[in-house]
């Protein structure tokens, strides 16, 4: 028995799921960078305290006081993106699994 909505993943392999996750992470990272840049821009410094991050799936409003959380989220996303790129063999590297043959 599948969870509701899981049928869209039935015919996908791990590689395709990782590529989709990588694309989603890059999209979210771009939105987080935009929010951080906005809060540090002259317009954001004029008292505007909220910014809406739109990931395409949902919207989240963040406040200027959330900058430390945004920076933490950004660091985690960068690490996950790097791991996914390594796993997918991008940038000339790939994760390998070596199994002894004995």
């Amino acid at each position: 028995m599948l969870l509701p909505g899981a049928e869209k993943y039935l015919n996908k392999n791990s590689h395709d799921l990782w590529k989709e996750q990588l694309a989603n992470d890059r999209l979210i990272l771009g939105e987080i960078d935009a929010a951080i840049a906005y809060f540090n821009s002259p317009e954001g410094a004029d008292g505007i305290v909220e910014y809406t991050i739109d990931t395409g799936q949902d919207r989240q409003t963040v406040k200027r006081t959330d900058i430390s959380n945004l920076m933490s989220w950004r660091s985690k996303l960068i690490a996950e993106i790097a791991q996914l790129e390594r796993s997918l063999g991008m940038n000339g590297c790939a994760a390998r699994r070596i199994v002894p043959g004995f």
Side-chain angles (χ1 to χ4, degrees):
M1 176 177 202
L2 294 174
L3 294 173
E7 61 277 352
K8 65 183 176 181
Y9 299 105
L10 278 177
N11 296 319
K12 291 192 178 184
N13 60 33
S14 296
H15 186 266
D16 292 339
L17 291 173
W18 287 357
K19 285 181 79 170
E20 287 178 11
Q21 183 64 44
L22 179 61
N24 289 338
D25 285 355
R26 286 178 174 164
L27 175 78
I28 293 169
L29 180 61
E31 289 291 320
I32 289 172
D33 283 343
I36 292 169
Y38 180 75
F39 286 137
N40 291 314
S41 71
E43 296 86 19
D46 285 341
I48 305 215
V49 295
E50 291 186 352
Y51 185 86
T52 301
I53 294 176
D54 185 359
T55 64
Q57 293 178 341
D58 67 349
R59 290 177 170 220
Q60 180 177 355
T61 301
V62 293
K63 298 179 187 257
R64 178 185 300 280
T65 57
D66 295 327
I67 287 182
S68 63
N69 292 337
L70 289 173
M71 295 300 287
S72 175
W73 190 10
R74 183 180 187 278
S75 296
K76 290 175 185 174
L77 276 173
I78 289 171
E80 184 171 318
I81 288 169
Q83 176 62 41
L84 286 169
E85 286 176 343
R86 282 191 302 273
S87 297
L88 289 167
M90 298 177 162
N91 300 330
C93 62
R96 301 270 190 255
R97 185 180 191 184
I98 300 172
V99 180
F102 53 105

